Amino acid sequence: YQESLTLQKDGAPIALGSATFYVRRSGTKESKKLVRDLQMQIFGPFHRMQEEDDLLLRAHWLVEYGCASWQGLFNEDDSPLAYSQEAARKVFLNPEYHLSLNAVLWMAAHNFENYLHEQAEEDLEQIKKK
């Protein structure tokens, strides 16, 4: 159960179809602070969080922190979509991805198994095979 601090910081590889997303660990001090800051920035100091607010908060978390990079992602015209924060905004802030892609990556960020030393080595080997 020993987690890799490097994977927490740089992102664990999460393979989804032909794409691989490098997702940072949620629950870290940095991640928790960003969530608090994003809540204030997006909703203001007096907003009472509603269930539907979580989707927008998670989207912004993925843009600002959660997704460190990706590989193998394509535009609708099949041209490669290189990772940048602007590209991440277009993907993660799109409501069409809130309940699918964003939800999968959010859950992956909470799954400690993605950040274990031993699991990391197995994941890297699987990616090399592709």
Side-chain angles (χ1 to χ4, degrees):
Y1 292 100
Q2 184 179 18
E3 291 191 34
S4 165
L5 297 179
T6 301
L7 285 177
Q8 287 181 1
K9 181 179 174 253
D10 297 339
I14 307 299
L16 299 174
S18 63
T20 302
F21 294 86
Y22 294 87
V23 180
R24 292 186 176 108
R25 180 77 157 97
S26 67
T28 63
K29 183 177 179 179
E30 184 178 12
S31 175
K32 287 179 180 182
K33 181 183 181 327
L34 179 66
V35 168
R36 286 190 305 273
D37 292 348
L38 286 171
Q39 281 179 317
M40 181 69 76
Q41 185 180 2
I42 297 167
F43 303 112
F46 304 110
H47 180 77
R48 296 182 80 188
M49 291 294 287
Q50 305 295 316
E51 190 172 322
E52 59 271 11
D53 295 337
D54 286 338
L55 297 176
L56 187 57
L57 185 60
R58 291 173 187 174
H60 281 277
W61 180 85
L62 283 165
V63 170
E64 300 296 329
Y65 177 81
C67 184
S69 185
W70 64 54
Q71 294 176 338
L73 206 59
F74 296 91
N75 288 301
E76 290 180 12
D77 65 0
D78 288 333
S79 63
L81 179 61
Y83 176 82
S84 68
Q85 198 160 38
E86 184 60 34
R89 276 188 195 88
K90 289 179 182 176
V91 172
F92 300 125
L93 295 180
N94 181 341
E96 294 176 335
Y97 295 112
H98 286 186
L99 293 172
S100 54
L101 176 63
N102 290 11
V104 169
L105 296 178
W106 178 256
M107 288 188 304
H110 284 77
N111 184 350
F112 72 90
E113 292 176 340
N114 292 321
Y115 302 91
L116 296 177
H117 282 287
E118 195 172 295
Q119 182 67 37
E121 293 170 15
E122 292 173 16
D123 288 345
L124 292 174
E125 289 303 315
Q126 288 296 334
I127 290 170
K128 288 178 186 177
K129 291 178 184 178
K130 290 183 179 182

